[in-house]
């Protein structure tokens, strides 16, 4: 029987599509990319390992030809096996550039000798899949070229610049086209906060009783008003001060605490006349349907989701046929979607909330994704929020948000009016001469109060998509009494309040996404992975929802700004996206573009003028970069005129003044490191020598550290290896610690013995949640853990006692036999219990299936359920961890010769990369790029 093979990227997508196709179709996934550039030297084909460019995986001297290696060999073998029994091949990867590139790689590697079709769709419904099957298209080579150019560009950028960071800043750092710009944005905001100087000012708020005239007689209604003017001079508010805490205008009155209290007393009981009432109509249009970036921003603001968590839930919804494709820059809705939305509006919210014609949203962007419709519920029959519960809590909540936004986009405007009431009066009191300027009489001061509020006439789209709650710095909407000019009100209570100006807010994930999109940097579809990368690399950590740059980020951004400034220039980086769009549209060729980036301007007189990447990372150029200068962040000057700097060192950030150094606490944000705080840290006692290590002859020291005091064998500059260290126990202090105590601490972790039943070692450790024992090769991830009753057991526990503890069931800490962890709550996505545990590499959360380590800025003691769920969602989005083969006990070695199977390798061809369009008939194969299969 004739069959057709349909290949998609993910197993979940394959399962959903297979439900819509009959037995004549076999749907299989490629499980992502099957081929890519080699990640390291070991993956480079043997034919190229001697080449100077081998580690790049790209030959810049021969037209930037890439070397591809197959990364999913088992899956490729399975696809080839299925292909042998098929008579047609459908490449059904996503319809954006990356999906087009995956389809091309499948075509190149599988080498099908049957008709090939490219099928595309933006939602996974029966109708959409049938439409795609019936109307396939050819592979779009322009999209493939653009994606390949992007991949090569990013490889050159990352693999050439990252080693510079390793040499000049610290190991294991990375640079990237978008991540380096994101780091710069976050660091620049922190610099603004560090330069900020707060200003103090006072305000006065009066609670007034409005005297209303009604048909039934008199009446009263309370409302609040703020003092805005004293003797015809405006009262200062936060916006009247500069970032340096200076008043922007000398015509403004700044109230201090004494003057505010005096005025408040004089105003209490005073009568104020309404001098004016201004009413302005307002109209709020519904927001456009979601695109990738606005979905991430709204999910962050309304659901508290990170960008990664949002995209993971959206991917699940799309692959299961609940929403349309989630990587798009288009706000357009199809006719089918418009009809569905308008039908729901009329049925649920009434015809009075339905505009006469469908609302059409168009959007001009610098770099539009190829997907041609906004994110919306899939199909034409949309379950209401609460009707999607089978994909986990995150997916259900995100679907509700998509549904609401889509429906709201087809509703009428929200209308109403804003009302401002001004009131005038006097206060009799004595004020300082500077505040009395302009007073009408001695001791009598003219006052003006203002109250503003909103009257909603028709909520319109806000019936379904209301604005998020007001933030801490925002005024909530207020309803005012029906007061008009000539009316009056009496101040029943008056309260002065002290204020301090606030520094610019740090970026959150949502606001960083918004800023990157405004600048035109990168693709919204990549923002989630970029934000995840800068956190995983240690450039950024979270404080609540705010993104805080580490001192390492300051050093790397400083290096990039001074020596690779054009690579982190916002306008130039945005221009790169436009160039890639031109490559995708066929208006520009990729090779000249890459040549200009890598080799620089060919018409320049000198390499330094050309500013090509190859020259910028050359040894001669890097010799001019001083690591000490790059890794020094000025903090201030002490009383003796000596500079205090923060530095990034081998073992973390530290303070330096002259020869004096101190480690910086791990949770100290850069803007909190004032000169006063730095001098306080520098004044703390330095290391104390306890004695000599009998094994090495080095000093044993107790020192302050980022995670608290610790014992160290020697100093970092006394040995080529990192000194052996261990933290103090809970009852110990640096002042009273003895040499004997330190030598005992240095025996940890201690191997108690071997479990005779399976040969696994049992080790006792001192963890963040207290002492515990662990058994297993992974010591914390898949290991068995049991808490100890006391810290003394770290040194006294016997093998028999350890085996007895392991034989008992796991229980929470504090019970007779406790587990090294505590239950936080139920995961809103998976429904499983989340437990916080202490592992070999630090604390982590687990739901029994996935484990996620806590990150810098996460405090184990105060970790919330929301943050734990977010960490697990990020980990879950990466898919299950690859399982390594079970470790077997090695039998006694035999002296028989082992036979080795020689791997047969096809000779790699050094020919130009040629891309062949999808074929509908069997044709002779065109030459492939260099690859390893």
């Amino acid at each position: 029987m004739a069959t057709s093979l349909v290949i998609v990227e993910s197993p979940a997508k394959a399962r959903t599509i297979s439900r819509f196709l009959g037995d004549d179709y076999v749907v299989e996934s490629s499980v992502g990319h099957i081929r890519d550039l080699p990640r390291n030297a070991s993956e480079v084909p043997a034919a190229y390992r001697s080449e100077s460019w081998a580690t790049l995986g790209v030959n810049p001297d021969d037209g930037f030809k890439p070397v591809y290696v197959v990364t999913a060999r088992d899956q490729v073998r399975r696809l080839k096996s299925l292909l042998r029994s098929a008579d047609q091949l459908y490449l059904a990867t996503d319809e954006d550039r990356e999906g087009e590139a995956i389809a091309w790689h499948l075509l190149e590697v599988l080498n099908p000798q049957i008709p090939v079709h490219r099928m595309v769709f933006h939602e996974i419904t029966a109708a959409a899949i049938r439409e795609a099957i019936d109307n396939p298209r050819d592979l779009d080579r322009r999209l493939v070229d653009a994606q390949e150019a992007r991949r090569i560009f990013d490889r050159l950028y990352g693999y050439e610049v990252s080693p510079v960071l390793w040499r000049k800043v610290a190991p294991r750092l990375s640079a990237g086209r978008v991540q380096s710009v994101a780091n710069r944005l976050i660091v620049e905001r922190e610099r603004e906060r560090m330069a900020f100087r707060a200003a103090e000012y006072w305000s006065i708020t009066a609670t007034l009783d409005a005297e209303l005239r009604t048909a039934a007689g008199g009446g009263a209604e309370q409302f609040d008003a703020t003092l805005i003017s004293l003797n015809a001079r405006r009262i200062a508010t936060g916006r009247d001060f500069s970032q340096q805490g200076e008043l922007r205008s000398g015509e403004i009155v700044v109230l201090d605490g004494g003057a505010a209290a005096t005025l408040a007393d004089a105003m209490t009981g005073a009568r104020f006349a309404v001098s004016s009432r201004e009413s302005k109509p307002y109209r709020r249009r519904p927001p456009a349907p979601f695109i990738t970036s606005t979905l991430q921003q709204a999910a962050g603001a309304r659901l508290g989701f990170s960008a990664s968590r949002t995209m993971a839930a959206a991917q699940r919804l799309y692959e299961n046929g609940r929403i349309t494709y989630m990587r798009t820059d288009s706000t357009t809705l199809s006719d089918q979607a418009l009809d569905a939305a308008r039908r729901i509006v009329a049925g649920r919210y009434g015809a009075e909330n339905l505009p006469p014609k469908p609302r059409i949203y168009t959007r001009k962007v610098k770099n539009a994704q190829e997907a041609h419709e906004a994110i919306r519920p899939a199909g034409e029959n949309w379950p209401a929020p609460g009707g999607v519960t089978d994909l986990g809590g995150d997916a259900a909540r995100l679907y509700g948000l998509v549904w609401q936004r889509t429906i709201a986009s087809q509703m009428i405007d929200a209308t109403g009016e804003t009302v401002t009431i001004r009131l005038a009066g006097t206060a009799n009191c004595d004020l300082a001469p500077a505040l009395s300027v302009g007073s009408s009489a001695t001791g009598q001061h003219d006052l003006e109060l203002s109250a503003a509020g909103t009257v909603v006439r028709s909520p319109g789209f806000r019936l379904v998509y209301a604005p998020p709650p007001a933030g801490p710095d925002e005024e909530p909407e207020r309803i005012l009494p029906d007061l008009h000019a000539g009316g009056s009100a009496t101040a029943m209570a008056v309260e002065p309040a002290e204020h301090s100006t606030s520094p610019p807010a740090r970026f959150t994930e949502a606001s960083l996404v918004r800023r990157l999109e405004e600048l035109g940097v990168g693709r919204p579809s990549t923002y989630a992975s970029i934000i995840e990368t800068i956190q995983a690399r240690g450039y950024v950590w979270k404080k609540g929802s705010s993104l805080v740059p580490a001192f390492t980020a300051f050093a790397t951004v400083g290096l990039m700004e001074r020596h690779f400034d054009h690579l982190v220039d916002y306008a130039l980086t945005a221009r790169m996206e436009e160039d890639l769009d031109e490559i995708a549209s066929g208006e520009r060729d990729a090779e000249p573009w890459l040549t200009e980036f890598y080799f620089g301007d060919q018409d320049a007189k000198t390499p330094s003028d050309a500013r090509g990447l190859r020259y910028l990372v050359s040894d001669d150029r890097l010799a001019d970069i001083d690591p000490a200068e790059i890794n020094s962040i000025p903090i201030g000057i002490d009383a003796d005129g000596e500079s205090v700097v923060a530095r990034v060192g081998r073992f973390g950030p530290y303070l330096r003044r002259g020869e004096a150094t101190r480690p910086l606490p791990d949770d100290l944000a850069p803007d909190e490191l004032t000169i006063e705080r730095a001098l306080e840290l520098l004044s703390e006692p330095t290391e104390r020598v306890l004695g000599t290590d009998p094994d090495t002859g080095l000093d044993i020291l107790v020192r302050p550290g980022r995670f608290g005091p610790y014992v160290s064998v020697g100093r970092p500059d006394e040995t080529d290896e990192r000194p052996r260290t261990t933290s103090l126990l809970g009852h110990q202090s640096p002042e009273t610690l003895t040499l004997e105590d330190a030598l005992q601490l240095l025996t940890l972790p201690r191997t108690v013995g071997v479990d005779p039943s399976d040969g696994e070692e049992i080790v006792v450790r001192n963890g963040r949640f207290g002492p515990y024992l662990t058994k297993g090769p992974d010591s914390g991830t898949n290991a068995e853990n049991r808490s100890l009753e006391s810290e003394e057991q770290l040194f006294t526990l016997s093998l028999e006692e350890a085996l007895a503890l392991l034989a008992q069931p796991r229980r929470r800490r504090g019970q007779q036999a406790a587990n090294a962890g505590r239950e936080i709550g139920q995961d809103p996505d998976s429904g499983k219990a989340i437990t916080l545990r202490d592992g070999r590499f630090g604390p982590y959360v687990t739901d029994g299936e996935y484990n996620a380590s806590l990150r810098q800025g996460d405090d184990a003691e105060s970790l919330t359920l929301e943050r734990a769920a977010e960490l697990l969602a990020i980990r879950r989005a990466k898919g299950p961890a690859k399982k390594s083969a079970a470790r077997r006990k090695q039998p006694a070695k035999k002296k028989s010769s082992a036979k080795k199977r020689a791997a047969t390798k096809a000779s790699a061809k050094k020919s130009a990369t040629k891309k062949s369009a999808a074929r509908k008939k069997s044709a002779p194969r065109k030459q492939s790029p260099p690859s390893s299969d």
Side-chain angles (χ1 to χ4, degrees):
M1 181 177 67
T3 60
S4 297
L5 176 61
V6 180
I7 302 179
V8 298
E9 301 98 318
S10 75
K13 188 175 174 182
R15 286 192 296 270
T16 304
I17 291 176
S18 65
R19 297 202 302 264
F20 304 132
L21 299 175
D23 295 337
D24 294 341
Y25 294 87
V26 174
V27 185
E28 184 57 62
S29 74
S30 65
V31 194
H33 290 268
I34 62 162
R35 195 169 70 157
D36 199 1
L37 301 174
R39 291 172 297 179
N40 50 51
S42 64
E43 291 187 358
V44 176
Y48 300 100
R49 286 178 186 167
S50 61
E51 301 287 351
S52 60
W53 48 265
T55 54
L56 289 175
V58 175
N59 185 357
D61 299 315
D62 190 15
F64 298 92
K65 292 176 185 173
V67 175
Y68 290 116
V69 295
V70 174
T71 56
R73 297 181 183 277
D74 291 343
Q75 195 63 16
V76 166
R77 280 193 287 269
R78 174 167 174 75
L79 293 173
K80 285 183 175 180
S81 174
L82 293 172
L83 193 61
R84 283 193 286 270
S85 58
D87 60 353
Q88 288 190 98
L89 173 63
Y90 288 88
L91 300 175
T93 51
D94 291 339
E95 57 179 329
D96 56 12
R97 293 175 189 169
E98 187 172 9
E100 205 74 12
I102 292 175
W104 175 72
H105 282 297
L106 285 166
L107 191 65
E108 293 291 304
V109 172
L110 297 180
N111 189 19
Q113 301 301 313
I114 55 176
V116 179
H117 311 282
R118 176 77 171 105
M119 60 179 283
V120 294
F121 42 87
H122 64 276
E123 61 180 355
I124 305 178
T125 60
I129 297 303
R130 177 48 58 190
E131 173 71 16
I133 287 282
D134 294 341
N135 297 280
R137 63 166 172 80
D138 290 334
L139 193 77
D140 191 332
R141 287 182 50 185
R142 296 176 305 175
L143 296 183
V144 176
D145 288 341
Q147 181 62 25
E148 186 172 65
R150 178 191 297 272
R151 185 73 184 95
I152 293 171
F153 182 98
D154 288 344
R155 170 55 62 94
L156 295 173
Y157 190 129
Y159 275 48
E160 292 283 32
V161 180
S162 296
V164 178
L165 304 183
W166 305 342
R167 292 170 59 179
K168 302 297 181 178
V169 181
R172 296 184 295 277
L173 299 178
S174 67
R177 176 173 49 89
V178 181
Q179 70 163 282
S180 294
V181 170
N183 277 333
R184 184 186 177 193
L185 283 169
I186 295 170
V187 166
E188 283 187 337
R189 181 60 56 85
E190 196 73 7
R191 287 172 179 163
E192 293 175 10
R193 292 175 63 88
M194 294 170 75
F196 176 81
R197 296 295 178 266
E200 307 297 329
Y201 65 97
W202 286 71
S203 67
I204 297 176
T205 302
T207 300
L208 302 167
D209 261 4
E211 298 172 9
L212 303 177
R213 296 182 180 88
T214 65
E221 186 175 334
Q222 286 195 342
F223 66 102
D224 289 341
T226 303
L227 179 66
I228 63 169
S229 174
L230 173 64
N231 297 321
R233 298 167 66 196
R234 189 162 63 82
I235 302 293
T237 62
R239 66 174 65 93
D240 294 313
F241 295 91
S242 69
Q243 295 293 303
Q244 288 69 45
E246 299 170 348
L247 201 60
R248 300 182 191 275
S249 170
E251 299 301 316
I252 299 173
V253 176
V254 181
L255 294 180
D256 59 21
T262 300
L263 278 170
D265 288 342
M267 290 169 60
T268 303
R271 190 169 179 175
F272 292 84
V274 178
S275 57
S276 68
R277 183 184 192 275
E278 294 182 3
S279 178
K280 296 180 180 179
Y282 79 81
R283 180 176 294 272
R284 301 288 184 269
R285 290 176 55 84
F290 281 132
I291 59 176
T292 305
S293 59
T294 54
L295 177 66
Q296 293 174 5
Q297 293 169 43
R302 294 168 180 264
L303 306 179
F305 286 7
S306 66
S308 295
R309 188 175 177 184
T310 299
M311 295 308 290
Q315 182 83 30
R316 207 151 51 245
L317 288 167
Y318 167 66
E319 291 179 343
N320 285 274
R322 306 305 173 84
I323 64 172
T324 54
Y325 191 53
M326 67 287 168
R327 296 186 180 94
T328 176
D329 292 337
S330 172
T331 54
T332 302
L333 291 176
S334 66
D335 291 341
Q336 176 195 48
L338 290 172
D339 291 343
R342 289 175 62 82
R343 189 167 58 249
I344 292 174
V345 171
R348 275 182 166 251
Y349 303 102
E352 66 275 13
N353 285 298
L354 185 69
K357 296 181 180 179
R359 289 185 180 272
I360 306 300
Y361 296 88
T362 58
R363 182 171 182 266
K364 292 183 180 180
V365 292
K366 295 178 180 178
N367 42 30
Q369 278 276 27
E370 286 70 33
H372 53 77
E373 192 172 0
I375 303 169
R376 62 166 177 83
E380 55 186 15
N381 297 310
W382 303 345
V388 176
T389 58
D390 57 328
L391 301 178
D394 281 5
R397 295 172 69 193
L398 192 68
Y399 173 82
L401 195 62
V402 171
W403 187 94
Q404 291 167 356
R405 180 83 165 225
T406 309
I407 298 302
S409 73
Q410 294 305 311
M411 296 179 71
I412 62 172
D413 297 345
T415 59
E417 61 179 352
T418 57
V419 177
T420 302
I421 296 176
R422 296 289 179 91
L423 303 100
T426 59
N428 295 311
C429 60
D430 292 327
L431 296 175
L435 299 178
S436 300
V437 175
S439 61
S440 57
T442 303
Q444 182 173 309
H445 303 279
D446 298 327
L447 309 177
E448 185 177 20
L449 282 70
S450 177
T454 302
V455 178
V456 177
R457 301 300 183 194
S458 171
F461 73 91
R462 288 183 171 178
L463 286 169
V464 62
Y465 195 75
D473 299 325
E474 298 175 329
E475 285 288 334
E477 291 186 350
R478 293 185 294 179
I479 304 300
L480 295 179
D482 191 20
L483 273 173
H484 295 270
S488 61
T490 302
M492 305 306 295
V494 183
E495 291 292 335
E498 184 180 14
H499 304 276
S500 178
T501 54
S502 300
R506 288 191 180 100
F507 283 107
T508 63
E509 291 199 16
S511 61
L512 181 61
V513 165
R514 182 166 58 250
R515 185 61 180 144
L516 288 170
E517 186 183 27
E518 288 171 354
L519 293 170
V521 173
R523 293 278 181 183
S525 59
T526 66
Y527 291 159
S529 62
I530 292 299
I531 294 172
E532 169 66 13
T533 297
I534 61 178
Q535 292 181 75
R537 294 289 183 182
Y539 287 125
V540 173
W541 52 282
K542 273 192 170 182
K543 190 174 185 178
S545 61
S546 299
L547 298 173
V548 182
F551 286 101
T552 305
F554 274 76
T556 55
V557 168
L559 185 150
M560 296 294 289
E561 288 174 332
R562 296 182 206 180
H563 301 282
F564 301 91
D565 57 320
H566 68 296
L567 295 184
V568 289
D569 182 89
Y570 302 138
L572 288 178
T573 307
R575 176 60 193 166
M576 293 176 193
E577 293 296 334
E578 296 175 7
D579 293 342
L580 288 165
D581 285 335
E582 291 175 3
I583 293 171
S585 64
E587 301 173 36
R588 178 188 283 259
D589 291 331
E591 185 178 336
W593 182 70
L594 291 168
T595 299
E596 183 178 356
F597 165 68
Y598 195 70
F599 294 106
D601 183 358
Q602 301 301 295
D603 297 328
K605 295 180 179 179
T606 64
S608 60
D609 293 336
R611 297 176 63 78
L613 182 62
R614 173 176 274 188
Y615 166 74
L616 293 176
V617 299
S618 63
D619 289 340
D620 291 343
R621 177 86 175 8
L622 296 185
D624 298 333
I625 301 177
D626 180 9
E629 178 187 1
I630 289 297
N631 290 295
S632 298
I633 299 102
I635 302 302
I637 307 293
D638 69 4
D640 298 326
E642 193 163 11
S643 296
V644 179
V645 299
R647 279 193 168 180
V648 177
R650 289 174 60 195
F651 307 116
Y654 64 96
L655 275 175
R656 187 179 188 93
R657 179 182 57 180
E659 296 301 317
T661 62
R662 293 291 187 280
L664 284 170
D666 198 54
D667 59 351
L668 183 66
D671 76 325
E672 296 171 4
L673 186 59
T674 61
I675 184 63
E676 294 78 16
R677 177 69 172 127
L679 294 175
E680 180 185 325
L681 290 170
L682 285 165
S683 66
E684 290 181 355
T686 184
E687 65 189 31
R688 185 165 68 90
V689 179
L690 302 177
T692 302
D693 179 30
D695 295 331
T696 64
L698 297 172
D699 287 341
I700 293 183
L701 319 160
V702 58
R703 314 181 78 186
R706 290 188 294 160
F707 306 106
Y710 66 96
V711 170
S712 173
V713 180
R715 300 170 181 83
D717 56 359
E718 293 177 341
T719 176
D720 293 335
E721 298 180 357
R722 187 167 186 166
R724 189 156 52 99
T725 62
T726 184
S727 297
L728 271 62
L729 299 180
H731 68 279
Q732 295 174 328
S733 68
E735 293 77 18
T736 59
L737 195 75
T738 66
L739 176 61
E740 291 71 21
D741 294 334
L743 290 172
Q744 188 180 47
L745 286 172
L746 289 166
T747 63
L748 299 177
R750 179 174 68 93
T751 300
V752 177
V754 175
D755 188 333
S757 66
D758 55 18
E760 294 285 0
E761 282 189 344
I762 300 173
V763 179
V764 290
R765 302 175 183 274
N766 187 32
R768 188 169 290 190
F769 309 118
Y772 69 103
L773 68 82
T774 181
K775 187 189 84 165
D778 295 326
S779 297
T781 303
N782 298 318
E784 286 191 71
N785 300 324
R786 297 292 186 276
S787 288
L788 302 180
E789 293 296 321
S790 67
E791 292 177 335
E792 287 73 17
Q793 285 184 291
L794 288 167
F795 312 105
T796 62
L797 191 76
S798 66
L799 177 60
E800 291 73 19
E801 291 170 329
L803 292 173
L805 276 176
L806 289 167
Q808 296 176 13
R810 297 186 180 197
R811 301 187 184 123
R812 295 177 184 171
R813 180 174 292 278
Q815 294 180 334
Q816 187 174 2
N819 178 19
R822 64 180 174 87
E823 189 171 312
I824 296 179
Q826 189 179 55
D827 190 323
D829 193 28
S830 67
K832 300 177 180 178
I834 299 179
T835 303
L836 176 66
R837 294 179 178 169
D838 200 19
R840 180 182 181 185
F841 304 108
Y844 66 99
V845 289
T846 179
D847 65 354
E849 182 179 1
Y850 290 93
N851 301 332
S853 297
L854 269 62
R855 297 182 174 178
Q856 183 179 357
D858 291 328
D859 178 55
E861 299 299 329
S862 59
L863 188 74
T864 63
L865 175 60
E866 291 73 19
R867 178 59 175 159
E870 178 184 346
L871 290 169
L872 283 170
I874 293 171
R875 175 62 189 85
R876 200 177 290 119
K878 296 178 180 179
K882 295 182 179 179
K883 295 183 179 180
S884 56
R887 194 170 65 177
R888 299 178 182 177
K889 295 181 183 179
Q890 296 295 327
K893 292 184 179 179
K894 296 181 180 180
K895 294 185 179 180
S896 58
S897 59
K899 296 182 180 180
K900 298 181 179 179
R901 299 178 63 184
T904 304
K905 296 184 178 179
S907 59
K909 300 179 181 180
K910 300 184 181 181
S911 56
T913 301
K914 295 184 179 180
K915 303 176 185 66
S916 50
R919 294 171 297 281
K920 295 188 178 180
K921 293 183 180 180
S922 176
R925 293 292 296 156
K926 293 185 178 180
Q927 215 163 23
S928 300
S931 64
S932 173
D933 192 359

